[in-house]
Amino acid sequence: MVERSERIKPWGVTLGIVGGGQLGKMLSQSASKLGFEVVALDPSPSCPVSSFCKELIVGSLMDEEKIFEVARKSDVVTYEIEHVNTEALKKLEDNGYPVYPQPHILELIKDKFRQRNFLRTKGFPVPDFRELDVSEIRQLRPPFVQKARYGGYDGRGVVVVKSPEDFSKLLECPSYVEEFVDIEKEISVVVVRSVRGEVAVYPVVEMVFKEGANILEMLVSPAELPEEIEMSARELAVSIVDELDGVGVFAIEMFVSKDGKLLINEIAPRVHNSGHHTIESCLTSQFEQHVRAITGLPLGSTEQILPAAMVNLLGEPGYKGKPILLGVEEVLKIPGVNVHFYGKKETRPYRKMGHVTIVGRNVDEVRRIARFVSETLKVIGDERI
Amino acid sequence: MVERSERIKPWGVTLGIVGGGQLGKMLSQSASKLGFEVVALDPSPSCPVSSFCKELIVGSLMDEEKIFEVARKSDVVTYEIEHVNTEALKKLEDNGYPVYPQPHILELIKDKFRQRNFLRTKGFPVPDFRELDVSEIRQLRPPFVQKARYGGYDGRGVVVVKSPEDFSKLLECPSYVEEFVDIEKEISVVVVRSVRGEVAVYPVVEMVFKEGANILEMLVSPAELPEEIEMSARELAVSIVDELDGVGVFAIEMFVSKDGKLLINEIAPRVHNSGHHTIESCLTSQFEQHVRAITGLPLGSTEQILPAAMVNLLGEPGYKGKPILLGVEEVLKIPGVNVHFYGKKETRPYRKMGHVTIVGRNVDEVRRIARFVSETLKVIGDERI
């Protein structure tokens, strides 16, 4: 696989990032640590990456010409969001331009039904599923889960049907149904694979949901799984990225069922929420790993040095406008608390405005502090809605 | 002291930084983590901070008007280098504009003879010293040390006279002489003090010099001092910053003499080389602490979570032009190695081009890896001189 890395200059690389959100900002910070430069594309001139790049190209992530402009101005292109013009990226790939993760993988992953088929065909364990149209879905006996083929994220595009009353919530878009899995834990494994084929994997992260709701409460690492499940999850995640021949950071979300089985839920072809804690808790962050992986550098160690929990900082419902952070005093006082505020100019209900990583002596401590942070730190706006 | 912090907005601060070098870049990265914005002043449009700020004002650090422009565009001003127009900063201070560390402290510290007098007058232990002109210095019996009053740094402005042959090296500038101290170790203590008067102090760092030369080889933290010397050094450092009523990060360099005494060498009124390792090895970095301190936020924990060593990456003699980094492959492979490359466009002999922080299980390990990194990683340029 050396031919791929030969395109990359050995040092002083300019990274092109399609998307200028928080993931782009954190990628840019890792690039800058290494002295690399960043050119980014985003529709908003004041997006989080705007003050942290050599050049921000303002334009739609669907605009082929703008994506080509990013490529012309950089040595290697990556993206920080799936909702981009995949065709444009594929044209670059077809012309031998380095784009990582490779656009044909992004295309596969964006269609969650194709993604599932790929996983099942290759022998990876997935929940049982099949494609049905909505009229057929109405004939099914609950419980089951309906999932949108395209565009779902952060719990959107997923309908859990537990009883016939839930039929009213069914999505009208292209979708598939999957068996209702009795879940013990939801977990995520962040894997990084370089242009050279070198692979590194982080300890498994537990995604903790609010009691009885489909809302993420916090992420905790390590996940405190039995040793053999931890190892199996890591091996599974690595096998998937190897099977994809993927380059860059990937997050593999899985279910641990009540009967102790691992089932792949979905793949994210990019740096991921479940890897944010690595900035503070691991020897090398997921962001630096992504930069190293796609520029042909050796990967760093994924060793975790402190237990960590991460909570997202979402815009409070009822507010919009200029963000105001409440409770920051109480939170910043606590040892091991890291407030990341993305610098978005406008808040909206449930918009991701920042995140907080807590590192500490043990998992119980970081869970406790994370809960306090969730209750204390609030992003409101200067306008009521 | 609440009146000082009242000027500062509670969140969403714009930081003005006079100087756009690597310290400005790392300050900017900490500011951006918190969602704050940065306006910087530097003579070079492509300085390290140029891609990591909302606005770079291009101009001399001596230009009063440009410094006032930084102040107009920001909520609080700081500086990352001593060689700035102190008079301009003092005018801002006199008009009640928040500038930290306070310019009258910078003025005191810039004149190393006045700094020494201040320390001695306040009862802090310093090597014996006095002001003499060069003709008088020539009458002295070696060994002694001559130090320039103004502008010395990184070993420049210091002449160690061990025998009459060294008289030829004497500086012709305003200077003072100090007793030759038989040094066991040179150490540095980084202290941070906020607008509220809250104080935090980092573990003592050992500055390791090359055998028989006045060239810094590496910094190691913790310094492995006897407990009572460690504690005395920290207390001394805090007392000095308290006595100055200083706000921001300060580094206090000291000698540990062969007979176990602590003597203050000098004060740096800014984030410092001896605190770079805190990015990776401590719960809160010196850069984030500085941002917190001057914007009225609570300070973070200075707890060190892993032993660390830091080596500077200097331009190799014999080269100039576009920097090329040699040996980066071998170095990045090692767990716990963090390469910071500042992004300067031109290398010059001995120019600070980056630094490498090594974290590891114990001090011996990080020292060993730091030595390997020094021998392996070289910055050359694309032109020979």
Side-chain angles (χ1 to χ4, degrees):
Chain A
M1 256 168 292
V2 175
E3 57 292 3
R4 286 206 291 216
S5 67
E6 273 170 2
R7 297 187 176 279
I8 312 281
K9 290 192 290 182
W11 201 251
V13 169
T14 298
L15 217 68
I17 308 178
V18 181
Q22 62 269 16
L23 302 179
K25 176 181 163 181
M26 291 184 275
L27 276 173
S28 182
Q29 291 187 307
S30 283
S32 94
K33 175 182 162 188
L34 296 167
F36 295 175
E37 290 186 324
V38 165
V39 172
L41 171 64
D42 199 83
S44 163
S46 62
C47 64
V49 97
S50 62
S51 294
F52 303 97
C53 57
K54 188 174 71 166
E55 184 182 349
L56 177 71
I57 299 167
V58 177
S60 162
L61 306 184
M62 294 300 155
D63 186 333
E64 183 175 274
E65 269 314 309
K66 297 282 186 184
I67 288 176
F68 291 169
E69 187 184 344
V70 172
R72 272 196 305 277
K73 290 177 170 170
S74 58
D75 301 303
V76 53
V77 165
T78 188
Y79 43 89
E80 54 113 53
I81 185 167
E82 285 97 323
H83 304 281
V84 298
N85 187 335
T86 315
E87 289 307 314
L89 294 177
K90 280 177 73 183
K91 283 186 193 169
L92 289 172
E93 184 179 32
D94 291 345
N95 284 307
Y97 189 93
V99 183
Y100 299 119
Q102 302 92 316
H104 68 272
I105 299 176
L106 172 62
E107 187 180 43
L108 169 71
I109 286 174
K110 272 168 96 167
D111 179 347
K112 289 185 182 167
F113 182 68
R114 264 191 69 196
Q115 185 194 130
R116 268 294 166 82
N117 269 324
F118 164 82
L119 289 169
R120 186 160 59 184
T121 308
K122 296 295 181 185
F124 294 107
V126 290
D128 197 20
F129 71 101
R130 55 188 164 141
E131 198 178 19
L132 290 175
D133 63 35
V134 177
S135 62
E136 292 168 308
I137 294 175
R138 289 186 195 285
Q139 312 304 316
L140 294 175
R141 203 156 53 114
F144 61 86
V145 181
Q146 183 199 22
K147 291 192 168 175
R149 276 183 76 151
Y150 307 99
Y153 65 98
D154 285 352
R156 274 179 273 192
V158 177
V159 179
V160 180
V161 181
K162 286 188 169 165
S163 68
E165 292 90 82
D166 293 330
F167 280 130
S168 63
K169 299 187 216 153
L170 286 176
L171 306 166
E172 294 294 332
C173 60
S175 68
Y176 63 96
V177 287
E178 112 184 350
E179 65 170 322
F180 178 83
V181 178
D182 211 4
I183 295 169
E184 174 69 28
K185 277 186 179 182
E186 294 200 32
I187 60 173
S188 176
V189 189
V190 174
V191 174
V192 54
R193 191 162 171 280
S194 81
V195 289
R196 309 165 174 197
E198 191 189 351
V199 182
V201 55
Y202 286 94
V204 178
V205 171
E206 182 184 351
M207 302 160 79
V208 182
F209 289 85
K210 284 194 181 127
E211 206 83 46
N214 196 17
I215 299 165
L216 187 71
E217 188 190 6
M218 66 175 81
L219 297 168
V220 179
S221 180
E224 298 188 297
L225 297 169
E227 178 76 7
E228 71 275 18
I229 298 186
E230 168 87 21
M231 285 304 134
S232 301
R234 292 200 208 187
E235 280 166 25
L236 258 179
V238 168
S239 309
I240 291 170
V241 179
D242 272 339
E243 185 63 50
L244 288 166
D245 191 27
V247 170
V249 165
F250 293 79
I252 317 294
E253 296 182 27
M254 304 183 196
F255 302 133
V256 184
S257 68
K258 289 251 195 269
D259 51 354
K261 278 193 296 198
L262 286 169
L263 296 166
I264 312 300
N265 182 20
E266 62 177 68
I267 308 169
R270 54 171 169 77
V271 285
H272 193 254
N273 216 229
S274 64
H276 286 0
H277 68 96
T278 60
I279 296 174
E280 287 89 6
S281 74
C282 292
L283 283 183
T284 319
S285 80
Q286 67 165 345
F287 300 99
E288 178 162 339
Q289 295 281 31
H290 189 68
V291 174
R292 290 187 186 207
I294 69 175
T295 58
L297 291 170
L299 298 181
S301 164
T302 56
E303 189 187 328
Q304 187 166 359
I305 51 182
L306 285 173
M310 197 279 302
V311 293
N312 286 316
L313 206 48
L314 307 179
E316 284 292 305
Y319 293 93
K320 61 174 188 164
K322 193 169 184 256
I324 299 162
L325 195 52
L326 303 180
V328 71
E329 291 269 329
E330 294 90 307
V331 156
L332 281 179
K333 266 179 207 160
I334 306 167
V337 167
N338 290 273
V339 173
H340 294 254
F341 205 62
Y342 301 147
K344 295 178 185 178
K345 304 296 178 214
E346 300 272 329
T347 183
R348 284 195 300 269
Y350 306 110
R351 188 177 195 197
K352 273 191 194 159
M353 300 301 291
H355 76 264
V356 181
T357 298
I358 300 101
V359 292
R361 267 173 293 272
N362 56 62
V363 169
D364 288 343
E365 182 186 75
V366 297
R367 276 178 190 264
R368 190 175 46 73
I369 299 172
R371 215 161 287 127
F372 174 79
V373 169
S374 298
E375 288 159 7
T376 308
L377 202 59
K378 303 284 173 200
V379 185
I380 62 167
D382 64 355
E383 293 173 63
R384 300 288 317 217
I385 46 174
Chain B
M1 257 167 290
V2 175
E3 57 291 3
R4 285 206 293 217
S5 66
E6 273 169 2
R7 296 188 176 280
I8 312 283
K9 289 193 288 181
W11 202 250
V13 170
T14 298
L15 216 70
I17 307 178
V18 181
Q22 61 269 17
L23 302 179
K25 176 181 164 182
M26 290 184 274
L27 277 173
S28 182
Q29 290 186 309
S30 284
S32 94
K33 174 182 164 191
L34 296 168
F36 295 174
E37 292 186 321
V38 165
V39 172
L41 170 65
D42 199 84
S44 163
S46 62
C47 64
V49 98
S50 62
S51 294
F52 303 96
C53 58
K54 188 175 70 167
E55 185 183 348
L56 178 72
I57 299 167
V58 177
S60 162
L61 306 183
M62 293 300 155
D63 186 333
E64 184 177 272
E65 268 314 307
K66 297 282 187 184
I67 288 175
F68 291 169
E69 188 184 343
V70 172
R72 274 195 306 277
K73 291 177 170 171
S74 59
D75 300 303
V76 52
V77 166
T78 188
Y79 43 88
E80 54 113 54
I81 184 167
E82 284 98 321
H83 303 280
V84 299
N85 187 335
T86 315
E87 289 307 313
L89 294 177
K90 280 176 73 183
K91 283 185 193 170
L92 289 172
E93 185 180 33
D94 291 344
N95 284 307
Y97 189 92
V99 183
Y100 300 119
Q102 302 93 314
H104 68 271
I105 299 176
L106 172 63
E107 186 180 44
L108 169 70
I109 286 174
K110 272 168 97 166
D111 178 347
K112 289 186 182 168
F113 182 68
R114 263 191 71 197
Q115 186 194 132
R116 268 297 166 80
N117 268 324
F118 164 82
L119 290 169
R120 184 160 60 184
T121 307
K122 296 296 180 182
F124 294 107
V126 290
D128 198 19
F129 70 101
R130 57 188 162 141
E131 197 178 20
L132 290 175
D133 62 34
V134 178
S135 62
E136 291 168 311
I137 294 174
R138 290 187 195 285
Q139 312 307 316
L140 295 174
R141 203 156 53 117
F144 62 86
V145 180
Q146 183 199 23
K147 291 191 168 175
R149 276 184 76 152
Y150 307 99
Y153 66 98
D154 285 351
R156 273 179 275 190
V158 176
V159 179
V160 180
V161 181
K162 286 190 169 164
S163 68
E165 291 91 80
D166 293 329
F167 280 130
S168 63
K169 299 188 215 153
L170 287 176
L171 306 166
E172 294 295 332
C173 60
S175 69
Y176 62 97
V177 287
E178 106 186 355
E179 64 171 321
F180 178 82
V181 178
D182 211 3
I183 296 170
E184 174 69 29
K185 276 186 179 180
E186 293 199 32
I187 61 174
S188 175
V189 189
V190 174
V191 175
V192 55
R193 192 163 172 278
S194 81
V195 289
R196 310 164 172 199
E198 193 189 349
V199 183
V201 55
Y202 286 93
V204 178
V205 172
E206 181 184 350
M207 304 161 78
V208 183
F209 289 84
K210 285 197 180 123
E211 205 84 47
N214 194 19
I215 298 165
L216 187 71
E217 187 190 7
M218 67 175 81
L219 297 167
V220 180
S221 180
E224 299 187 297
L225 297 168
E227 178 74 7
E228 71 274 18
I229 297 185
E230 168 86 22
M231 285 305 134
S232 300
R234 292 201 207 187
E235 279 167 26
L236 256 180
V238 168
S239 309
I240 290 169
V241 178
D242 272 339
E243 184 65 50
L244 287 167
D245 191 26
V247 170
V249 164
F250 293 79
I252 317 292
E253 295 183 28
M254 305 182 195
F255 302 133
V256 185
S257 68
K258 289 249 193 271
D259 52 354
K261 277 193 296 196
L262 287 169
L263 295 166
I264 312 300
N265 182 21
E266 64 178 67
I267 308 168
R270 54 169 170 78
V271 286
H272 193 255
N273 216 228
S274 64
H276 286 1
H277 68 95
T278 60
I279 295 175
E280 288 88 6
S281 74
C282 292
L283 284 184
T284 319
S285 79
Q286 67 164 345
F287 300 99
E288 179 162 338
Q289 296 279 33
H290 189 67
V291 175
R292 291 186 184 208
I294 68 174
T295 59
L297 291 170
L299 299 181
S301 164
T302 54
E303 191 188 327
Q304 187 166 358
I305 51 183
L306 285 173
M310 198 279 303
V311 293
N312 286 316
L313 206 48
L314 307 180
E316 284 292 305
Y319 294 93
K320 61 175 188 165
K322 193 170 183 257
I324 298 162
L325 195 51
L326 303 179
V328 71
E329 289 270 328
E330 293 91 307
V331 157
L332 281 179
K333 266 180 209 160
I334 305 167
V337 167
N338 290 274
V339 174
H340 294 255
F341 204 62
Y342 301 145
K344 294 177 185 178
K345 304 297 177 212
E346 300 271 328
T347 183
R348 285 196 298 270
Y350 306 110
R351 189 177 193 196
K352 272 190 196 160
M353 300 301 289
H355 76 265
V356 182
T357 298
I358 299 101
V359 291
R361 267 173 292 272
N362 57 62
V363 168
D364 287 343
E365 183 187 74
V366 297
R367 276 177 190 264
R368 189 175 45 74
I369 299 173
R371 216 161 286 125
F372 174 79
V373 169
S374 297
E375 287 159 7
T376 308
L377 201 59
K378 303 283 174 199
V379 185
I380 62 166
D382 64 354
E383 293 172 63
R384 302 288 317 215
I385 47 176

